[in-house]
Amino acid sequence: QITLKESGPTLVKPTQTLTLTCTFSGLPPTTETGAMGVAWIRQPPGKALEWLAIIYWDDDKRYRPSLKSRLSITRDTSKSQVVLTMTNMDPVDTATYYCAHSPEGDFYDSSVYMSWGQGTLVTVSS
Amino acid sequence: QSVLTQPPSVSAAPRQRVTISCSGSSSNIGNNAVTWYQQLPGKAPKLLIYFDDLLPSGVSDRFSGSKSGTSASLAISGLQSVDEAVYYCAAWDDSLEGVAFGGGTKLTVL
């Protein structure tokens, strides 16, 4: 069974850097093609889902173009964690942040998220 | 403004059939598979349909997906009150080199 859980601060001040950790279990340390990944997706209150970034098991990374300069995604295999950092936080970044698992296989691509964490609400306010 | 366009809301009576549309372009739906998610209030999204029309294990066959050109649709038959949720379409976008989500469609079962 695959589980993911997000952790991090619930409140950050404007201009601060946000660091979120996704701790997972049930995912193999390596895969045949390295096409499996863990992504971060956020959802402002009452609004739609917004994809942020993904890191694949071959260490390839992709970022949302409009936020690319502010985002960094890394993976710590020894801790079974994926970490997202977002710099220069602004009140518009207030959202529930989810991490989610994208499986590897012929019928899966990076828009397929089989397992999700419960989400963590981050509020940006002074 | 979402890259993928969905109607904000749809409604139908119990036991009826409803469809939710998702309109994109050649860089996303036209060239990549479509995925659908269901989000119940206060919950994380749940995978509903992948690779345009495939159902993950455990998802009711009352849900079905289809795609034609740069548009896709989610159909729900035999509507039940438990189906009240927000539904999102998603697809990889070659121009963005990232995942595009639709704006979400709120389904109300009358």
Side-chain angles (χ1 to χ4, degrees), chain B residues 10 20 37-41 81-87 105-109:
Chain B
V10 296
I20 296 172
Y37 295 93
Q38 176 194 60
Q39 188 175 34
L40 297 170
S81 58
V82 294
D83 298 329
E84 282 204 339
V86 179
Y87 293 85
T105 299
K106 181 175 173 55
L107 169 64
T108 300
V109 180

Side-chain angles (χ1 to χ4, degrees), chain B residues 40-63:
Chain B
L40 297 170
K43 300 294 186 182
K46 171 189 173 184
L47 180 65
L48 212 56
I49 298 282
Y50 66 100
F51 204 71
D52 300 339
D53 58 9
L54 299 183
L55 270 67
S57 175
V59 172
S60 171
D61 59 5
R62 296 188 298 106
F63 295 93

Side-chain angles (χ1 to χ4, degrees), chain A residues 17-126:
Chain A
T17 294
L18 171 69
T19 299
L20 292 173
T21 301
C22 176
T23 303
F24 55 83
S25 64
L27 298 181
T30 61
T31 64
E32 187 173 337
T33 67
M36 186 174 74
V38 168
W40 285 93
I41 297 154
R42 71 179 179 181
Q43 185 172 37
K47 296 189 177 180
L49 300 169
E50 183 177 60
W51 182 86
L52 298 178
I54 188 169
I55 184 165
Y56 298 99
W57 255 224
D58 65 359
D59 270 345
D60 192 15
K61 305 167 186 178
R62 294 286 185 271
Y63 296 98
R64 186 176 191 81
S66 60
L67 296 172
K68 188 174 184 177
S69 63
R70 298 174 53 204
L71 293 173
S72 175
I73 189 169
T74 59
R75 181 169 72 109
D76 187 330
T77 306
S78 64
K79 295 181 180 179
S80 295
Q81 292 178 336
V82 170
V83 176
L84 180 78
T85 59
M86 181 181 292
T87 62
N88 195 24
M89 292 292 284
D90 183 273
V92 301
D93 297 313
T94 294
T96 295
Y97 286 76
Y98 296 99
C99 62
H101 164 238
S102 180
E104 178 176 307
D106 289 343
F107 298 102
Y108 303 130
D109 70 7
S110 299
S111 72
V112 180
Y113 298 105
M114 281 280 189
S115 303
W116 294 65
Q118 63 191 20
T120 184
L121 176 61
V122 178
T123 302
V124 184
S125 174
S126 54

